[in-house]
Amino acid sequence: MLSLSRAAIMDEKLAIPSDLSIDWDRLLDVSAAHGTLAWVWDAVCDLPQEQRPSRLQSINWGLSAQEIWDTYHHQESVLKQVVSVCNDHEIRLLLLKGIGLSKLYPKPESRSCGDIDIFLFQDFDKGNQLFCEDGSMFETALHAEFCVQNVHIENHKMLLFPNTKTKKAVGQYLQCHLNDVELAEDGYYLLSPLPNLAYLLMHALNHFNYSIDTHVISVRNILDLAVFIYSNKKYLNPEETFDVLHSIYLDRAFEMIVYLSEWLLKVDLSEYHKGLVKQRDIDKIERVIFEDGDHRSIESMSMWGKSTLLWKRFFMLFPLTKYVPRKPKNGLFYRVLKTQYKILRGKKNWHFL
């Protein structure tokens, strides 16, 4: 999966040994779980005919990839409409993650997208009024959620919710660099490389923090960062990058992602090696990403079952989460502690931390 994904992302040809046996059904399942299905299919289509999957397998895979491409093009069309409306009302739209990142890939539509995240600077309420005339909006402390032509959009009040010391530091840094943006061809704005790196890194770490119902760390999330770092090397001066990331507690996590990026893309990012990460931890993380585990939801389990499953996930992910600073109180680390505390105390209603 990694070899095929890498070939598609780096726009390279892949040579597979003729005697190599591939379980295409298993590869499809793993690729779908890690968000790399369309990339793998792009590379498969470049293989010699005799090395490709069977006709039925190819049809199933092709239809799955086509669904990703169609979803992307629909989202791109809706985003253009949203940007047009914002421009008509003199609202600046800052695009976060998603489609903005997809433009770094040789075939943007093969990057599977979830929703569209936007930030309208001081026009949060004005944007909600423009796009939620029917009142169908759900608002949280971080953003407002609504749909435009069946595309889920999150209009952010703030870039990050400050529920940890690290998020507060990153949020304050981003707040100071909100005008450090670049205008894209499609009319929306993007954060400049260094602030964008801080935001993307913190977003990826959120996924590691909240691995409660699954231990799987999506390869796509790491690939996004890998491609971003590799594509923006000339804009990310190593000394400046580490100085900024150190001030917001993300320098160790960044170097950990750098090592994973080199592993995934087979590229040289040695200028970002600072000796903050142990190689044995990187080796463990590489194994954890593809390790099969218990995917049951904890919500319907007994307290002992929850405790056992959470402890398993905690120890499985520890080589990775040890580089995640300041865990949120509703993340995996604190859920383990709280569940164990509840068992030991034998209470249903309690207050801890």
Side-chain angles (χ1 to χ4, degrees):
M1 188 198 82
L2 291 184
S3 298
L4 290 165
S5 298
R6 185 187 309 117
I9 291 170
M10 303 302 288
D11 201 16
E12 300 172 349
K13 292 287 185 180
L14 177 67
I16 296 181
S18 57
D19 59 344
L20 181 65
S21 177
I22 300 176
D23 185 342
W24 293 105
D25 292 328
R26 173 63 176 156
L27 182 57
L28 174 60
D29 291 340
V30 174
S31 300
H34 283 280
T36 63
L37 186 149
W39 288 323
V40 173
W41 177 243
D42 289 338
V44 167
C45 291
D46 284 337
L47 294 175
Q49 187 64 44
E50 62 272 13
Q51 289 190 317
R52 297 181 190 179
S54 68
R55 184 172 182 274
L56 180 59
Q57 290 170 324
S58 296
I59 290 174
N60 290 335
W61 208 319
L63 289 174
S64 298
Q66 187 64 52
E67 185 177 353
I68 292 173
W69 299 331
D70 291 343
T71 299
Y72 177 89
H73 290 307
H74 179 56
Q75 287 189 346
E76 191 175 39
S77 173
V78 169
L79 176 61
K80 289 180 180 179
Q81 296 177 38
V82 171
V83 170
S84 178
V85 171
C86 287
N87 289 339
D88 290 342
H89 290 82
E90 298 182 344
I91 298 175
R92 290 191 303 162
L93 186 150
L94 179 66
L95 184 64
L96 308 171
K97 305 175 290 163
I99 292 177
L101 278 176
S102 71
K103 303 300 183 181
L104 298 176
Y105 294 94
K107 189 175 179 180
E109 61 268 32
S110 288
R111 180 194 180 274
S112 57
C113 292
D115 49 26
I116 296 177
D117 292 77
I118 62 176
F119 179 73
L120 303 181
F121 298 88
Q122 292 82 27
D123 294 310
F124 171 77
D125 292 324
K126 187 177 179 181
N128 291 339
Q129 293 172 2
L130 284 173
F131 299 107
C132 301
E133 295 179 353
D134 59 353
S136 57
M137 179 183 72
F138 176 73
E139 189 170 338
T140 70
L142 177 62
H143 48 56
E145 303 176 12
F146 49 83
C147 285
V148 176
Q149 298 181 27
N150 293 322
V151 174
H152 187 76
I153 296 179
E154 294 183 353
N155 179 21
H156 284 245
K157 295 180 185 177
M158 59 191 83
L159 297 185
L160 294 170
F161 187 69
N163 61 339
T164 69
K165 182 178 179 180
T166 305
K167 283 189 180 180
K168 289 178 183 177
V170 178
Q172 290 170 358
Y173 167 74
L174 294 175
Q175 189 66 33
C176 294
H177 291 80
L178 278 181
N179 291 323
D180 194 3
V181 295
E182 302 169 349
L183 181 62
E185 292 182 1
D186 293 327
Y188 52 77
Y189 289 86
L190 296 170
L191 287 168
S192 60
L194 188 49
N196 207 355
L197 173 63
Y199 176 76
L200 295 172
L201 188 57
M202 193 69 252
H203 175 262
L205 298 182
N206 276 339
H207 286 277
F208 306 157
N209 274 326
Y210 296 107
S211 302
I212 295 171
D213 280 329
T214 174
H215 80 276
V216 172
I217 301 301
S218 171
V219 168
R220 195 210 68 179
N221 286 331
I222 304 176
L223 280 172
D224 277 346
L225 270 166
V227 171
F228 181 86
I229 295 168
Y230 182 69
S231 302
N232 288 281
K233 280 201 304 181
K234 60 182 177 181
Y235 305 113
L236 297 172
N237 176 271
E239 293 303 321
E240 181 187 6
T241 298
F242 272 96
D243 285 345
V244 169
L245 295 180
H246 177 72
S247 69
I248 54 179
Y249 315 113
L250 293 180
D251 50 338
R252 295 174 75 240
F254 170 66
E255 187 173 346
M256 180 264 292
I257 293 295
V258 164
Y259 282 112
L260 292 178
S261 300
E262 292 179 319
W263 169 58
L264 291 171
L265 297 182
K266 301 300 181 187
V267 295
D268 179 20
L269 296 174
S270 56
E271 61 263 48
Y272 300 113
H273 293 183
K274 292 293 181 180
L276 304 176
V277 180
K278 298 178 180 178
Q279 184 59 49
R280 65 172 180 267
D281 287 332
I282 296 299
D283 295 337
K284 291 177 182 177
I285 293 169
E286 292 173 4
R287 292 195 297 270
V288 162
I289 289 175
F290 289 106
E291 186 172 344
D292 288 327
D294 194 334
H295 295 266
R296 292 176 297 167
S297 172
I298 69 172
E299 300 307 323
S300 60
M301 301 175 67
S302 67
M303 193 59 63
W304 275 110
K306 289 181 181 179
S307 177
T308 302
L309 186 55
L310 286 173
W311 274 114
K312 286 180 180 178
R313 289 176 181 166
F314 173 75
F315 285 118
M316 182 183 295
L317 289 171
F318 181 70
L320 188 149
T321 57
K322 68 186 290 187
Y323 294 102
V324 180
R326 312 304 197 279
K327 282 74 172 173
K329 293 184 180 179
N330 56 338
L332 176 61
F333 176 66
Y334 284 98
R335 284 290 289 270
V336 170
L337 294 182
K338 290 175 181 179
T339 304
Q340 194 66 32
Y341 179 86
K342 196 170 183 179
I343 291 175
L344 295 175
R345 288 292 184 180
K347 297 180 179 179
K348 292 185 178 181
N349 297 312
W350 50 278
H351 300 281
F352 182 56
L353 296 177

